[in-house]
Each structure stands twice: as C-alpha cells, then as structure tokens.
Amino acid sequence: MTGTLYGVGLGPGAPDLITLRAARLIERARVIAYPTLAGGASFARSIAAELIAPGAREIAMDVPMTVERAPAQAAYDAGAAKIAEALETGEDVVCLCEGDPFFYGSFMYLFARLADRHRVEIVPGVTSLTAAAAAARRPLAARNERLTVLPGPLPEAELRARIEGAESVAIMKLGRHFPKVRAVIEGLGLTSHATYVERATLEAEIVRPLSEAPDTAPYFSMIILTKGADPWL
C-alpha cells in the first residue's frame, strides 16, 4: 500500500495561525517536505519548526525564483520524484505550504505531478489575503461587491485596466514590481483608497496608508484597495 501525500497550508507566517488539523499531521509526520529558496532557509519550515518531530526525515526542494520557468519546473520534478519514492514505500509525506496550498501555492505543481499516481489530501490554510485584510482592518468585500485579486508582475496596462474595472482589489507579489503598481494606483487617483501591508502576522509586520508606504517592498507584501464609501456601514 502506498502512502498519502498531504499538502498542508501553514497560514501567512504566525505559527499560532496553523490549523489544528495541520498541526496534528505535522506532529505525526515521519517524512516532511518543503520548498527552500536558492539554498537558503525555508520560510515554510520556520513556521512549523516547533511541530516537526526530531526524527522526521526532511525533503528540501530548492526552488529558484527566476523569470525563466524551466529551473523551477526542474526543481519540482526532482522534489516530486523524492516524495514519490517515500510514498511508494508506504510512508505518508506532509508537504509544508506557506499560506494555502491552492492559493498561489507552489504545492499545486507537486499535485500536478503526483495526484494521478498517489493519494493526495489538501489541508487548507489561512491565506495572506485574509491575513492582510485583518491587519489593515479593511473588509475585502460586502453584499454584492466583487473582489479582484491581481499579481503585481502583470503588465502596467493590464493592471490599470483591471483596477479601473474593479470594486475591491488586492494586489499581491509586489517586490520589485512595487514602484510600477504604486504609479498605476497614483495615476488612477486611488492612492487615498489603498492600504499597504507587509509581512502580515509576523513581528516585522507593517501596515500603512499607501501614501506612507516604504519606497521598496518585499515579495511578502500586498496592497488592499477599496473604492467609494464603505459598503458595510
């Protein structure tokens, strides 16, 4: 009998936002998998560190953050192969996922490679989107309002068009794209409607009006923008 692969959402960073289901799976796991960045420490592992059993075997997947897709795809190929080896011996594997596995989560790439051959279960986690809204004290949507989620790397013209046609907007993955995104919002005259959130739920969390945001932003940052009067009042 083969093992089960669990894609476990860890939430946005604060360890106490890990769900009870996720915590139980991590504590019992004999094999743990997680992504790392360019040979560095794993943010996912750091969130769950206190729950990982001392004797657990760890599969670290070094995923490069490059514009070219091929290096990352090769990393997922290699990681999936190692996970499959453990599953085929009957061991369960718990894969640690920042945020939620299926909301901009890298686990989806492992799922695509393994779900047709192995049993896979998904454990949802608190998303950075909802964590940022909580930190900013800004409801994301009310009544029949539409919420639009946009990635910062989108081309400037597309960002402008999508923000113009939206009611409530969350813009993720800012990083090096922050100056472009900020300029688009300023050009639309919506800066006063926007809140900047950086590293939500962590000790280094920053929440400011966009007009007072830093000049640079990390990857783990977001802008929440709501137009018009607050519809929940």
Side-chain angles (χ1 to χ4, degrees):
M1 179 180 293
T2 62
T4 298
L5 171 62
Y6 295 91
V8 175
L10 302 174
D16 58 356
L17 285 177
I18 296 175
T19 66
L20 290 174
R21 182 182 297 180
R24 289 168 184 151
L25 284 168
I26 297 167
E27 287 174 330
R28 298 169 186 167
R30 295 177 57 190
V31 184
I32 296 279
Y34 50 81
T36 63
L37 180 60
S42 168
F43 180 44
R45 191 192 187 286
S46 72
I47 298 172
E50 294 185 1
L51 298 172
I52 298 174
R57 180 159 64 91
E58 301 186 20
I59 298 173
M61 296 171 285
D62 191 15
V63 182
M65 291 291 286
T66 60
V67 176
E68 297 78 15
R69 290 179 56 83
Q73 295 303 314
Y76 292 125
D77 287 341
K82 292 179 181 179
I83 291 171
E85 287 178 6
L87 294 172
E88 286 161 7
T89 65
E91 292 185 300
D92 294 338
V93 179
V94 171
C95 185
L96 306 178
C97 314
E98 301 154 14
D100 180 274
F102 277 178
F103 184 69
Y104 289 106
S106 58
F107 181 76
M108 66 181 70
Y109 304 115
L110 296 172
F111 180 85
R113 287 162 169 78
L114 296 168
D116 62 338
R117 294 178 288 128
H118 300 281
R119 185 165 179 259
V120 181
E121 292 190 14
I122 313 299
V123 180
V126 176
T127 69
S128 59
L129 175 62
T130 50
R137 302 172 67 84
R138 298 293 299 175
L140 290 169
R143 300 176 186 169
N144 295 323
E145 191 174 46
R146 296 166 298 170
L147 171 64
T148 300
V149 181
L150 302 173
L154 286 177
E156 183 175 336
E158 186 172 355
L159 274 173
R160 184 180 297 106
R162 290 182 178 269
I163 293 172
E164 280 185 309
E167 296 167 339
S168 179
V169 185
I171 307 170
M172 306 176 60
K173 304 182 182 183
L174 297 178
R176 61 189 177 87
H177 304 282
F178 182 48
K180 173 191 65 182
V181 175
R182 192 175 199 170
V184 167
I185 293 172
E186 289 176 352
L188 292 170
L190 295 172
T191 298
S192 62
H193 297 263
T195 302
Y196 171 84
V197 182
E198 177 180 315
R199 303 186 193 280
T201 78
L202 299 175
E203 288 186 8
E205 176 184 280
I206 294 175
V207 181
R208 296 178 185 172
L210 181 59
S211 60
E212 300 174 14
D215 293 332
T216 59
Y219 179 83
F220 293 109
S221 58
M222 187 178 306
I223 293 171
I224 295 175
L225 189 157
T226 51
K227 299 178 181 178
D230 295 340
W232 53 87
L233 297 178

